[in-house]
Amino acid sequence: MMKKQIAVFGSTGSIGKQTLSVCQAHRDLFATKALVFGSNVELGAAQIREFDPEIIGVFDIESAGTIAEMFPEKTVLAGSDVWSIAAFDSIDSVVNGVSGFDGVFPLINALRAGKEVALANKESVVCAGGLVHKAQEEGGGVILPVDSEQSAIFQCLAAGRKADVSSIILTASGGAFRDFSMDELANVTPEMAMKHPTWSMGKKITIDSATLFNKGLEIMEAAFLFNMDADHIKVLIHPQSVVHSMVEFEDSSVIAQLSVPDMRLAIQYALTFPERIESPAARLKLSEYAGLTFRGPDTKRFPALDMAYEALRAGLSMPVAYNSGNEVAVKRFTEGDIKFTEIPDCVCYTMNNIEKIQINSMDELLYCDAQARRLASEYVVKR
Ligand code: NDP
Ligand code: MG
């Protein structure tokens, strides 16, 4: 097998580091041709020394200058030029581990250029669904899901025909505060929200897991990836994070995918699909679990789910309002400007006030994203 030439977007983040761990475990299969990160010069430089990529992208201009000085023999791109790396001829597969809306740029570029994308970044498909489909049609690129729930569904779907699927069941750990009362939720601090019970992840997705906005985004991500409507996507709280999601078929049979909670499994499967090879993740020992439990979500304490269904059903610019309103709200929460329980209120304000328009171009997408961010900031001032 020829070595797969990989570009890792977001190499210094949680997904990026775990991708490099997979690449390290299979140096015979994967070559890290390009590393792209935001501004973490120290870790980025260490990764460049260890993985020796030919191409480097550093979004922050000043950090890019520092890296270019440290590695004069390498190609270093900076600022929005980094997104072009996703379409370079020498790249076979793009791992998209950028956090937030910016993940849309490498995704669209890679798909237009016919690449395979191992997609962790969910904000991109939530916001740019239609444009992503268009890019796939134009260039023939394919998406392989990395998000553990979507990887699970992708695997479960192999058990039957798509036409015979009756519903998709997304599991959710329920986040750190799944048993908190409304009063307790109002007093959650950013430090508390940064601790996830079962997964170790980046800052934004950890807070999204606590508010259930992560699950809301995943409802829309699943709708996009598997072409399902809102009525056929369900959510179950499963605190142990062992069953990563399930698919129910017309005959009432439910197929689930299980493993230890280790993202390297999903990352590796997206890179080796359809093959399965040994992974750095531990084997699942079900006998070591006291029990696997499931229950329905409390949509009163966690309005993010109902809001996601609303955004999905409404379409147009509503998913952008949901996503980008949330990105601003999370940032303002971590800065101490709003309470934990105001995050959904901020997103609600953004959804209620955004111009409901059809998004047919990148310009229209950027217009809606900017408007959502402006509205979310306005909420913080007005409330
Ligand atoms: P992190 O915050 O840990 O990492 C984000 C990475 O993206 C960093 O390398 C950061 O660089 C880089 N980055 C951010 N903005 C830019 C930019 N404009 N240009 C280039 N690089 C940029 O996030 P995670 O790894 O946790 O999450 C990444 C994505 O994967 C998210 O969309 C998340 O929802 C999704 N995901 C993550 C999971 C996980 O287990 N972590 C599980 C499922 C999905 P730097 O730090 O150098 O600034
Ligand atoms: Mg997930």
Side-chain angles (χ1 to χ4, degrees):
M1 194 166 136
M2 286 270 283
K3 265 197 195 183
K4 209 175 240 189
Q5 304 294 320
I6 296 180
V8 184
F9 278 78
S11 66
T12 53
S14 161
I15 289 290
K17 287 188 272 186
Q18 296 182 85
T19 301
L20 293 179
S21 160
V22 169
C23 291
Q24 195 168 36
H26 300 292
R27 284 196 184 262
D28 51 329
L29 297 178
F30 307 129
T32 40
K33 189 84 173 178
L35 295 183
V36 181
F37 54 93
S39 61
N40 188 341
V41 168
E42 200 181 331
L43 180 57
Q47 292 178 339
I48 294 163
R49 278 184 217 104
E50 188 175 352
F51 291 91
D52 196 30
E54 268 170 42
I55 308 150
I56 299 155
V58 187
F59 189 75
D60 178 66
I61 309 270
E62 207 175 302
S63 309
T66 311
I67 291 288
E69 267 172 37
M70 290 170 83
F71 301 95
E73 73 289 1
K74 305 265 186 204
T75 305
V76 181
L77 279 76
S80 52
D81 285 352
V82 305
W83 310 130
S84 65
I85 295 170
F88 278 16
D89 283 343
S90 55
I91 304 291
D92 300 317
S93 190
V94 169
V95 177
N96 191 343
V98 168
S99 62
F101 180 86
D102 280 356
V104 76
F105 302 110
L107 175 63
I108 299 241
N109 284 350
L111 294 174
R112 272 200 196 128
K115 312 290 184 196
E116 206 178 78
V117 181
L119 183 69
N121 176 282
K122 60 197 85 181
E123 295 90 339
S124 52
V125 287
V126 168
C127 293
L131 301 181
V132 175
H133 275 312
K134 220 189 272 177
Q136 274 177 301
E137 279 160 25
E138 277 169 27
V142 293
I143 295 178
L144 290 153
V146 166
D147 202 356
S148 57
E149 295 76 4
Q150 320 296 347
S151 174
I153 294 160
F154 180 66
Q155 295 178 58
C156 295
L157 285 172
R161 295 187 310 186
K162 178 72 205 312
D164 298 333
V165 171
S166 64
S167 68
I168 278 177
I169 304 158
L170 294 168
T171 53
S173 72
F177 317 123
R178 57 193 167 223
D179 300 318
F180 276 36
S181 69
M182 232 19 217
D183 288 345
E184 287 170 320
L185 283 176
N187 293 317
V188 162
T189 62
E191 293 69 37
M192 289 161 75
M194 279 309 300
K195 291 197 190 87
H196 193 280
T198 48
W199 297 95
S200 156
M201 309 180 287
K203 193 168 170 181
K204 190 220 163 212
I205 185 175
T206 303
I207 293 172
D208 286 350
S209 298
T211 55
L212 292 197
F213 270 93
N214 181 51
K215 211 48 55 180
L217 290 167
E218 288 178 359
I219 290 171
M220 290 188 264
E221 184 187 21
F224 169 84
L225 289 174
F226 307 112
N227 194 21
M228 296 290 288
D229 62 36
D231 295 336
H232 297 94
I233 303 173
K234 298 169 185 164
V235 173
L236 259 191
I237 303 295
H238 168 49
Q240 297 83 14
S241 301
V242 167
V243 174
H244 297 301
S245 279
M246 307 177 233
V247 172
E248 183 183 43
F249 287 90
E250 288 298 353
D251 61 356
S252 302
S253 205
V254 177
I255 308 289
Q257 188 261 340
L258 289 72
S259 75
V260 295
D262 185 330
M263 285 306 296
R264 290 176 301 180
L265 239 160
I267 294 167
Q268 177 174 302
Y269 189 58
L271 292 172
T272 63
F273 174 81
E275 270 183 67
R276 290 186 185 267
I277 57 174
E278 202 179 316
S279 90
R283 297 269 168 179
L284 175 64
K285 295 199 180 90
L286 276 177
S287 58
E288 288 174 5
Y289 287 83
L292 299 183
T293 56
F294 303 89
R295 61 179 148 91
D298 179 345
T299 52
K300 276 222 175 60
R301 280 181 304 137
F302 298 100
L305 296 180
D306 284 345
M307 289 164 64
Y309 285 115
E310 187 194 337
L312 177 57
R313 288 197 174 97
L316 304 172
S317 41
M318 286 288 264
V320 181
Y322 184 92
N323 174 75
S324 305
N326 177 57
E327 287 190 24
V328 171
V330 168
K331 186 157 184 293
R332 300 303 291 262
F333 166 67
T334 56
E335 289 165 355
D337 297 330
I338 60 172
K339 284 187 196 166
F340 185 77
T341 41
E342 284 175 312
I343 296 174
D345 296 342
C346 180
V347 176
C348 201
Y349 179 86
T350 308
M351 284 169 65
N352 287 343
N353 290 291
I354 197 154
E355 248 178 277
K356 315 290 186 283
I357 60 164
Q358 182 82 41
I359 298 173
N360 294 315
S361 68
M362 204 57 168
D363 281 348
E364 283 162 352
L365 175 62
L366 296 177
Y367 171 80
C368 293
D369 174 61
Q371 194 183 71
R373 285 168 201 275
R374 199 171 52 244
L375 286 165
S377 305
E378 189 177 288
Y379 163 85
V380 179
V381 178
K382 273 193 176 172
R383 80 199 205 289

